[in-house]
Amino acid sequence: MNDPGQHQRQAREAQQAEQAHHWFDDEAGPVVRPYAMTRGRTSSATRHRLDLIALVVPEPAADDPGRDQTLSPEHVEIVERCSTIPQSIAELAAGLDLPVGVVRVLVGDLVDDDLVHVTRPVPPAELPDVSILREVINGLRAL
């Protein structure tokens, strides 16, 4: 005797098994959610806000970040990408294919560990007025 409910249960179990493996990408391997990379944090302990155009520069202590067993692969990759030329937070996010918020947390961790420092842009309010600069140039030309 063939139970019609048994066929439905088998189909449901097969669908659940497929959904359980849905988080696995055949080409990329297991997919890691961004909050797992930051251990659920949305900000770092760094006191400073990291702007999109802030440049990340490695410190001399970060000569071989791969040796440090406490760093995640993403931390190591950030330091390595900045070792040849400083990169902005936005460039790192694009190059790593990660959300900007995640990159900010990871860079904040590196700043806290003294492996990188961040050069922040000058706020527009602190920039000199263009008219004053023109007057200085005109004054120098008059000399």
Side-chain angles (χ1 to χ4, degrees), residues 28-60:
V31 177
V32 178
R33 298 284 182 208
Y35 59 81
M37 290 179 208
T38 62
R39 289 170 273 167
R41 298 172 296 141
T42 57
S43 63
S44 65
T46 304
R47 297 177 305 271
H48 307 289
R49 185 175 181 276
L50 300 174
D51 292 322
L52 289 175
I53 58 173
L55 291 178
V56 179
V57 181
E59 294 287 351

Side-chain angles (χ1 to χ4, degrees), residues 55-78:
L55 291 178
V56 179
V57 181
E59 294 287 351
D63 60 347
D64 187 12
R67 260 193 345 230
D68 190 345
Q69 298 298 318
T70 62
L71 295 178
S72 70
E74 292 79 17
H75 286 111
V76 172
E77 191 167 354
I78 288 171

Side-chain angles (χ1 to χ4, degrees), residues 18-33 97:
E18 183 180 326
Q19 288 175 348
H21 293 300
H22 183 67
W23 64 271
F24 192 85
D25 183 353
D26 290 333
E27 293 179 18
V31 177
V32 178
R33 298 284 182 208
D97 195 26

